[in-house]
Amino acid sequence: MDPVEMSAETKRYRFLALFCNLALLVFVALWHSTLSPHPLINPYGIMVAWIIPMLFPLKGIIQGKPYTHAWANFILMFYFLHGLTILWLDEGERYFALIEVILTSGAFIGNIYYARLRGKELGLKLKLLSEVEKIEKAKFTEGE
């Protein structure tokens, strides 16, 4: 555990992120394997293909690493777009798609705010572009 105590607000967003990421993982697995399996393709193969991307950031999310929470949102966008597409096109699976969009949105919001708040608590921050430019300029002008 990090030596810096988490605020109550950070804990709430951590819970939201953790709950929604894990719930999305379980829901997507159930959706594609048992709730609405593909009639022509092995449903367990489809399920594995759908959950593999969510497994990449899982360890860091469980450990509460702010950086992992931030980049996990790139993976979540795939599921968000899938849910929106199904909502628009497939009347038979609209409720499943709605659940996917809600869980993905919750995970996205939880990840963003947790990463931001926890990063501040730990003193992690990105340098401003102007600072980076000054450092780079100093490196290249030293030799002249």
Side-chain angles (χ1 to χ4, degrees), residues 5 39 52 57 94 102 106 118 130 132:
E5 188 65 30
I52 283 177
R94 280 210 172 119
I102 290 169
R118 191 62 180 152
S130 58
V132 174

Side-chain angles (χ1 to χ4, degrees), residues 101-132:
V101 168
I102 290 169
L103 290 175
T104 304
S105 298
F108 186 81
I109 291 167
N111 285 343
I112 280 287
Y113 282 103
Y114 173 75
R116 181 177 184 206
L117 295 171
R118 191 62 180 152
K120 281 183 180 179
E121 291 171 355
L122 295 173
L124 306 173
K125 63 179 182 177
L126 296 174
K127 292 181 183 179
L128 295 175
L129 183 57
S130 58
E131 292 175 20
V132 174

Side-chain angles (χ1 to χ4, degrees), residues 63-139:
Q63 292 174 343
K65 296 182 178 183
Y67 183 76
T68 305
H69 280 268
W71 71 258
N73 285 335
F74 291 109
I75 294 171
L76 288 174
M77 286 301 98
F78 174 70
Y79 297 92
F80 185 75
L81 291 172
H82 173 260
L84 287 179
T85 303
I86 297 299
L87 269 172
W88 185 260
L89 297 176
D90 191 348
E91 292 179 20
E93 295 195 339
R94 280 210 172 119
Y95 292 114
F96 296 141
L98 182 61
I99 293 169
E100 183 178 36
V101 168
I102 290 169
L103 290 175
T104 304
S105 298
F108 186 81
I109 291 167
N111 285 343
I112 280 287
Y113 282 103
Y114 173 75
R116 181 177 184 206
L117 295 171
R118 191 62 180 152
K120 281 183 180 179
E121 291 171 355
L122 295 173
L124 306 173
K125 63 179 182 177
L126 296 174
K127 292 181 183 179
L128 295 175
L129 183 57
S130 58
E131 292 175 20
V132 174
E133 287 174 343
K134 287 177 189 175
I135 293 169
E136 291 296 317
K137 188 175 182 178
K139 284 181 186 178

